[in-house]
Amino acid sequence: MSGASTEIAVAPVTPLRIIILGATSAIAEATARLWAPGGARILLAGRNEARLNEIASDLKARGAAEAIDWPLDCASANASAELGKMVDRLGGLDILLLAYGVLGEQAELERDPAAAARLITTNFSSAAAWCLAATAVLEKQGAGTLLVIGSVAGDRGRRSNFIYGATKGGLALLVEGIAHKLAPLGARAVIIKPGFVDTPMTAAIANKGPLWAKPEAIAASIVRAGEKGGPEIYAPGFWRGIMIVIRNLPVAIFNKINI
Amino acid sequence: MSEPFVTRSDILSWGRVVRAPQRVATPRFRDELDKLLGAANGASLLPIGLRRSYGDSCLNDTGDLIDMSRVDRFIAFDPAQGILRAEAGTSFSEILRLIVPHGWFLPVTPGTRFVTLGGAIANDVHGKNHHRAGTFGRHVRALGLLRSDRGHLTLTPESDAALFASTIGGLGLTGIIEWAEIALVKTDSSSLEVETIPFENLDAFWSLADASTEKFEHTVAWVDCLSRGESLGRGIFSRGNWTPYGFHDAHDDKTWKRVVADAPEFLLNPLSIGAFNELYYRLHAGRPHTKLQHYVPFFYPLDAIHGWNRLYGRSGLLQYQCLVPRATEREAIRALLEEIAKEGQASFLAVLKTFGDVPASGLFSFPRAGTTLALDFPNRGAATLALLTRLDAIVRDAGGALYPAKDGRISREMFRLSFPRWQEFEKDPAMSSDFWRRVSA
């Protein structure tokens, strides 16, 4: 302690250290744009290096203290080993956002078991491995947040997309359990459940009605989830009400409607 | 992913008159553009932005559209020199949010910030500072253009002067603008000191305009186009300069009001529009006053009502913007206002602005020395079109021009008279638009 301590102590503001898996997705990029002006240090993992590079330049212009390209196929990577390297690079982890996943076409997935297995591996098995690896890091730190993008499709199996829905439903259950485990340790996990989002994933759907949201709206919900709340949020929030209704429809009625 | 082009019925231009379904692809990354050029299968293509063009220059109903609004990243920003390089789909609104806190501003801006960088170049937009700064294209240092016949090019005003001059104001027809680098302007703050002065007729407008261009960076006038006789051309003159107060506050888009449905069309009749004009004039006519204004209400008053075009109902609106050269401007503007007042087909928004002598960079650039009049009319079909044709005749006799970004109807002859160098235009063979098919037919 210095004797002439007249200076005012200012708590150092540490920039957020953020890892984004699937950083080239529309929702992930929109979210990173909201984090960047606060001077975050953001590690961008995804398959297309040129695209990661373009996103990184943009985030730096918007104020990110650092934007690191991390070319990687998240679905086939060794999650635990790779996450270790990422966390070392950032010197710790405040937020991990898991944003990759594929939608697939239900009819094709039902015909082709190999395609279904690939979708399940990408959306669930590999994602679960990353979630478990992240849990270990957050547990050790006693701080930090795991954010996982699920879907309202995971809330009830429907004929139009139950294979995709099952992977997102499984992920929701996994994240719920992780949140329960982390709660006493000071860390958090949140599953974010978007409804219909206007992204390249859904580009083939031509006329989008009033329930459709822009990636920017989902991004705002994700940023809030990074600050507080959980373990389950709907994005936009009105989907919570819609899904309460859908989940509670009696089977006799549910089986008659085509959704 | 499957077929990149999706048929959509929700793609309209700002005037909402043309309602044909459009086939649209919405890429997010520049590396998708080559594939889209290949996927068109001989159909013509047209890159579009946020579709603030009023007529049909951003529509292509027998071909495909490439919606560039998601290719919207900053590539490099130098806050010391005020140089910005960004992808074509980046909006002016996003650019301002980035640059204003660093003390910079767009060198030229139109009356809405919801335009893309690529669209601003393709229409060579102008603003209230035209008499000082010229058009937007003059501030473009370089741009990336993807041609179907020549691949990826980097153009500067020096490197390929002819193709550069075609692309500035080129309506997206010279290829896909992928990115651009622009020179920003330093401002002392994010607010302006704005003087509002009522004027009782056209003569008073001309003297105000003459007295203002030297001392004020930004000038524009609103005109009550229903007033006749002695008070023909009465209106409100507005002129402003950046204040030296030192705050650099960017805007926040969260406070928009949104028009969620089309207004019923009976709201728009000569009586209600007349009442609006009268009220607007009286509200401001009290006495001249000066106030401090943030850049948003000064430059972008209509942006506060998101989707204001829907106030014109389902039939939409026809915007008419013409320019008449210095030598004939006084008689021509008088003749135009007389014709409109006589007809009684009122316009809410009539804007007068004198352009300066700064030459524009593009073959199809609209501004040139003289005076521009912009009006919008509720679309009443044949009656409105007939009035606009009579206005065309006045503009043609005055040696004037019409603005492609605002047009949905001019003839091939009127287009060629407006842009006498049209033969030098280096169109991309793959590109076309509804507008282009009409004026080149």
Side-chain angles (χ1 to χ4, degrees):
Chain A
M1 284 277 170
S2 124
S5 174
T6 50
E7 50 198 86
I8 300 160
V10 176
V13 179
T14 324
L16 284 177
R17 296 157 299 185
I18 298 169
I19 294 172
I20 303 180
L21 307 175
T24 58
S25 93
I27 293 175
E29 187 181 8
T31 312
R33 285 183 182 187
L34 297 180
W35 277 322
R41 294 171 57 214
I42 308 174
L43 187 147
L44 306 161
R47 281 177 301 180
N48 187 321
E49 190 167 4
R51 293 181 179 188
L52 291 175
N53 219 296
E54 289 172 8
I55 293 169
S57 305
D58 177 69
L59 295 176
K60 278 184 251 175
R62 289 171 194 268
E66 205 177 356
I68 306 154
D69 304 344
W70 200 280
L72 174 76
D73 181 355
C74 294
S76 64
N78 178 333
S80 172
E82 203 66 40
L83 186 65
K85 282 187 256 171
M86 293 173 171
V87 174
D88 281 350
R89 173 69 177 80
L90 288 175
L93 175 65
D94 296 303
I95 291 175
L96 183 138
L97 171 64
L98 192 156
Y100 69 89
V102 287
L103 184 58
E105 261 183 54
Q106 176 75 17
E108 187 196 324
L109 296 169
E110 285 182 44
R111 270 197 313 272
D112 181 355
R118 276 197 305 277
L119 180 117
I120 293 166
T121 301
T122 301
N123 284 7
F124 183 74
S125 310
S126 76
W130 283 104
C131 288
L132 295 172
T135 305
V137 172
L138 300 183
E139 193 183 349
K140 207 157 116 199
Q141 289 183 168
T145 305
L146 168 66
L147 302 173
V148 179
I149 299 184
S151 168
V152 294
D155 275 13
R156 187 164 188 178
R158 291 175 294 118
R159 64 176 73 110
S160 57
N161 68 350
F162 60 81
I163 302 176
Y164 171 81
T167 64
K168 291 299 191 178
L171 213 46
L173 208 57
L174 181 83
V175 173
E176 188 181 30
I178 291 171
H180 194 221
K181 177 184 165 76
L182 292 178
L185 306 172
R188 288 190 308 125
V190 185
I191 182 95
I192 293 112
K193 297 180 174 180
F196 303 137
V197 192
D198 186 3
T199 67
M201 196 193 237
T202 58
I205 300 165
N207 292 315
K208 298 178 162 76
L211 291 179
W212 286 79
K214 296 276 175 208
E216 288 75 14
I218 312 301
S221 299
I222 295 173
V223 168
R224 276 197 303 279
E227 287 158 7
K228 60 179 189 223
E232 167 201 79
I233 66 154
Y234 287 85
F238 63 77
W239 280 97
R240 178 177 297 280
I242 295 175
M243 295 320 293
I244 286 174
V245 173
I246 301 267
R247 272 202 313 272
N248 290 297
L249 277 178
V251 174
I253 297 173
F254 185 67
N255 284 352
K256 282 190 189 129
I257 53 177
N258 212 2
I259 52 172
Chain B
M1 285 279 113
S2 44
E3 165 71 19
F5 291 96
V6 177
T7 302
R8 292 171 56 176
S9 51
D10 59 334
I11 298 294
L12 305 173
S13 68
W14 196 244
R16 305 172 81 245
V17 171
V18 182
R19 285 179 178 266
Q22 305 281 323
R23 279 166 41 88
V24 191
T26 311
R28 287 185 56 231
F29 293 94
R30 279 178 274 156
D31 65 18
E32 296 168 74
L33 297 173
D34 285 293
K35 225 183 303 166
L36 289 176
L37 282 184
N41 285 327
S44 68
L45 287 167
L46 181 71
I48 59 168
L50 290 167
R51 306 189 308 281
R52 258 54 180 188
S53 296
Y54 286 74
D56 54 0
S57 61
C58 60
L59 297 174
N60 191 20
D61 76 346
T62 60
D64 295 339
L65 296 174
I66 298 177
D67 175 353
M68 293 291 287
S69 63
R70 290 274 158 186
V71 185
D72 64 344
R73 292 170 197 87
F74 297 117
I75 299 169
F77 172 46
D78 178 350
Q81 302 299 315
I83 307 292
L84 175 75
R85 186 180 282 224
E87 290 181 333
T90 312
S91 75
F92 274 19
S93 191
E94 282 289 290
I95 291 174
L96 290 171
R97 283 157 60 92
L98 174 72
I99 66 175
V100 166
H102 294 277
W104 297 99
F105 204 77
L106 289 162
V108 165
T109 177
T112 172
R113 64 189 185 279
F114 302 117
V115 297
T116 62
L117 181 56
I121 293 169
N123 291 286
D124 198 15
V125 297
H126 60 271
K128 296 177 181 180
N129 61 349
H130 182 272
H131 56 283
R132 294 268 178 94
T135 60
F136 189 76
R138 290 185 52 87
H139 307 273
V140 176
R141 295 161 50 100
L143 62 86
L145 186 71
L146 172 58
R147 295 270 300 189
S148 68
D149 54 355
R150 290 167 63 186
H152 298 267
L153 307 172
T154 295
L155 302 181
T156 68
E158 297 79 32
S159 70
D160 187 340
L163 187 53
F164 190 84
S166 285
T167 301
I168 301 294
L171 301 164
L173 296 163
T174 64
I176 301 173
I177 298 172
E178 296 192 90
W179 56 267
E181 183 177 291
I182 58 171
L184 307 170
V185 292
K186 194 94 198 154
T187 59
D188 291 334
S189 77
S190 50
S191 292
L192 301 104
E193 195 165 293
V194 181
E195 278 183 53
T196 306
I197 308 161
F199 53 91
E200 63 274 21
N201 55 35
L202 265 185
D203 288 338
F205 165 78
W206 294 117
S207 17
L208 265 172
D210 285 347
S212 303
T213 45
E214 274 285 297
K215 290 200 199 99
F216 291 87
E217 187 172 351
H218 302 279
T219 66
V220 72
W222 170 85
V223 179
D224 172 2
C225 52
L226 283 180
S227 57
R228 304 172 70 160
E230 282 288 285
S231 55
L232 181 79
R234 71 171 178 177
I236 312 290
F237 199 91
S238 159
R239 56 191 193 187
N241 287 316
W242 291 100
T243 66
Y245 280 85
F247 294 106
H248 293 285
D249 300 329
H251 63 278
D252 182 345
D253 281 338
K254 278 179 193 154
T255 52
W256 297 347
K257 305 205 174 21
R258 185 177 287 268
V259 179
V260 292
D262 296 346
E265 310 207 342
F266 65 80
L267 283 181
L268 294 166
N269 55 57
L271 207 66
S272 68
I273 299 178
F276 170 85
N277 278 263
E278 185 71 34
L279 184 69
Y280 189 91
Y281 181 76
R282 290 193 180 282
L283 273 178
H284 292 84
R287 60 181 187 284
H289 58 274
T290 302
K291 65 182 170 191
L292 270 188
Q293 250 186 334
H294 186 254
Y295 66 82
V296 161
F298 182 70
F299 289 115
Y300 313 115
L302 283 172
D303 283 351
I305 308 165
H306 198 54
W308 63 262
N309 53 343
R310 301 190 72 174
L311 294 173
Y312 284 84
R314 198 181 145 77
S315 312
L317 72 143
L318 290 158
Q319 164 103 190
Y320 189 87
Q321 185 164 1
C322 62
L323 168 134
V324 283
R326 203 69 91 224
T328 53
E329 61 188 2
R330 299 204 176 204
E331 307 84 85
I333 294 292
R334 175 170 297 278
L336 288 164
L337 289 176
E338 277 171 354
E339 185 65 44
I340 295 158
K342 190 172 76 194
E343 176 77 16
Q345 276 206 50
S347 163
F348 278 116
L349 194 89
V351 174
L352 263 182
K353 155 99 187 114
T354 48
F355 284 153
D357 301 320
V358 189
S361 331
L363 293 180
F364 294 162
S365 293
F366 166 70
R368 57 207 82 168
T371 296
T372 179
L373 174 66
L375 312 139
D376 47 36
F377 299 97
N379 175 23
R380 300 196 202 293
T384 312
L385 293 174
L387 168 65
L388 300 189
T389 305
R390 290 199 295 281
L391 301 184
D392 285 352
I394 298 169
V395 174
R396 186 175 53 232
D397 292 349
L402 294 177
Y403 191 6
K406 304 291 178 76
D407 179 67
R409 41 157 289 281
I410 62 172
S411 64
R412 184 177 86 142
E413 289 62 38
M414 193 68 206
F415 177 75
R416 291 183 174 181
L417 287 171
S418 296
F419 303 101
R421 291 172 64 195
W422 56 272
Q423 276 166 313
E424 298 166 44
F425 187 56
E426 292 185 23
K427 193 176 92 64
D428 183 312
M431 304 293 155
S432 189
S433 67
D434 290 7
F435 175 89
W436 183 253
R437 282 188 287 279
R438 184 176 63 249
V439 302
S440 66

